[in-house]
Amino acid sequence: MNFLILLVLVSPPAATAWIPPRRPLRPPTSSPAVAPLWSPLDLTAEPPGLPPLPPDDLLRLYTSQPDLWPVELFAIMYRADADGTLLSVRDASNGTAQWGLGSGVPAVRWAPSWHAPPTGYVRSDPPRQIEAQRFPTFGGENSWTYDRIEATGEAGGDPDLEAAAGRLRNALRDVLAAEQPRTPWDEARISAVRMALENECGLAAVRGTLRTTGLFGGGGAVTLDWEGMAARARVYALLPQMPSPLPHPNTSAEELRRELRDRPAVIEREGRDPHCDVHGRVYTHISTANVSNTIMAVYLCLDLTGWPETKELPALDAGGHQTGRREWKSLEDLKVLDVHGRIATEDPKQIFISGYVVRELVRENIIPRRGIQELQ
């Protein structure tokens, strides 16, 4: 089907586009049934009254060496009308939640050193490694190593996609270059993404993320406001609830599924907080044993309001292979908003992997609550 998509996005001043507002860090809740609020924060800060970060804290390591951060790009497609806003989501196939964006493509990530990189990735040159014992939930005696790998992607075949990926990558680089970081945390956060985008892995991740939307390859031009989209993009550090102890990468799929199924009961039995680590840092999502899920995530918001061609979109992987179907779900269904149109306060992690992130994007009016009174 031939169709034209035009998104007109209003760009905020570039100097503030990438630095989110600060909110006070909440300590771990005394009641594990009550999820704390999440907002973008300096995850290397030490709030009073909580255990200090250890000298070998993983996020401090990443902050001192930003090229070690896993970096992943996500596309968020939404439609807004007088009745509210719908997001395009798909079932979360890894079992950590009911729904996910289905558009995440890593530019940089970790992979076990003894495994060949997955399709579309190569080991970094020069090589970089990290010990498993650097991850907070390691908990074992015999460590192992991960290699840094980078996306190569699949170029060619769709000139429209190639042109779009190039323009968007360049626009993102321009926005980041204009930033003036206020803190070492902001500097590291921006540097991690800039370094990825300056290399082929960044272009490959942008290309792959656009492929996952299902908007390309239909035979017609897809025209988007790439510069406006880049100005509205946001970079958030995501800290997941990980399995503890961290399973070895050779652990069978059956054992990993069992760990994920039993984790809530284990956390309760051990008296741990399911929502925060011991330093008060709020978990953004529930993770498998993939250590690359502690990431710098770049969110690109695509407004598809009014385009009937997008009512049914395929769920594609970064290579363009169909893996299922997408569905449109309301912000209320995804626990982003409550039934009164306010920002929801219940824990969204088991319903929608990106629930906390989309709440923040709604707070910042990057994603609108069309037809819903703006209530905080």
Side-chain angles (χ1 to χ4, degrees), residues 33-275:
V34 179
L37 300 178
W38 175 85
S39 60
L41 293 165
D42 180 350
L43 296 180
T44 61
E46 294 187 335
L50 294 173
L53 298 177
D56 62 349
D57 179 68
L58 177 69
L59 300 187
R60 283 187 168 173
L61 172 66
Y62 284 171
T63 301
S64 65
Q65 301 180 58
D67 63 315
L68 296 182
W69 268 106
V71 175
E72 189 164 349
L73 279 74
F74 296 85
I76 302 179
M77 297 181 287
Y78 68 89
R79 302 160 59 93
D81 58 29
D83 295 323
T85 297
L86 302 176
L87 260 59
S88 177
V89 296
R90 62 158 299 169
D91 63 294
S93 57
N94 63 9
T96 59
Q98 184 176 356
W99 302 104
L101 293 174
S103 62
V105 177
V108 179
R109 54 173 294 197
W110 296 110
S113 298
W114 60 93
H115 288 175
T119 301
Y121 288 84
V122 296
R123 286 187 171 88
S124 299
D125 184 18
R128 302 298 300 274
Q129 281 192 342
I130 190 170
E131 287 282 340
Q133 63 190 17
R134 295 304 300 262
F135 293 92
T137 62
F138 170 65
E141 296 181 359
N142 299 315
S143 186
W144 58 89
T145 60
Y146 296 92
D147 287 347
R148 184 183 189 271
I149 61 174
E150 302 177 356
T152 58
E154 299 177 17
D158 188 338
D160 191 37
L161 174 61
E162 291 303 311
R167 281 189 59 187
L168 180 55
R169 193 268 292 261
N170 290 340
L172 289 168
R173 290 195 300 184
D174 290 344
V175 170
L176 287 168
E179 284 301 325
Q180 298 179 0
R182 298 189 294 255
T183 66
W185 170 256
D186 280 330
E187 183 174 0
R189 186 171 56 85
I190 294 168
S191 294
V193 179
R194 284 191 68 182
M195 284 187 284
L197 289 172
E198 290 295 331
N199 295 309
E200 175 63 25
C201 65
L203 177 59
V206 172
R207 181 193 302 123
T209 301
L210 292 180
R211 268 205 192 101
T212 68
T213 65
L215 299 176
F216 292 85
V222 180
T223 304
L224 304 172
D225 177 8
W226 306 115
E227 289 72 25
M229 189 183 301
R232 290 162 55 89
R234 291 295 183 268
V235 175
Y236 299 136
L238 305 187
L239 181 68
Q241 179 207 88
M242 294 287 290
S244 180
L246 182 67
H248 191 278
N250 288 348
T251 302
S252 70
E254 181 180 355
E255 289 179 86
L256 293 175
R257 286 192 294 268
R258 184 183 304 115
E259 184 282 325
L260 187 60
R261 183 192 65 224
D262 296 344
R263 192 186 306 173
V266 172
I267 288 175
E268 183 177 5
R269 183 171 65 247
E270 295 179 351
R272 291 187 280 130
D273 192 319
H275 307 300

Side-chain angles (χ1 to χ4, degrees), residues 37 335-338 342-346 359 363:
L37 300 178
K335 306 304 178 184
V336 174
L337 301 180
D338 64 20
R342 301 182 178 90
I343 297 293
T345 57
E346 65 181 285
R359 284 179 188 174
R363 285 191 191 99

Side-chain angles (χ1 to χ4, degrees), residues 301-355:
C301 297
L302 287 68
D303 183 356
L304 304 184
T305 301
W307 296 101
E309 295 87 349
T310 64
K311 285 186 176 179
E312 292 188 13
L313 292 171
L316 305 178
D317 63 17
H321 308 106
Q322 186 161 346
T323 58
R325 301 296 303 179
R326 291 182 166 275
E327 297 186 36
W328 291 97
K329 293 292 181 180
S330 71
L331 297 181
E332 291 81 3
D333 290 338
L334 298 173
K335 306 304 178 184
V336 174
L337 301 180
D338 64 20
V339 294
H340 304 292
R342 301 182 178 90
I343 297 293
T345 57
E346 65 181 285
D347 183 4
K349 293 194 292 292
Q350 292 185 327
I351 300 297
F352 180 34
I353 293 175
S354 300

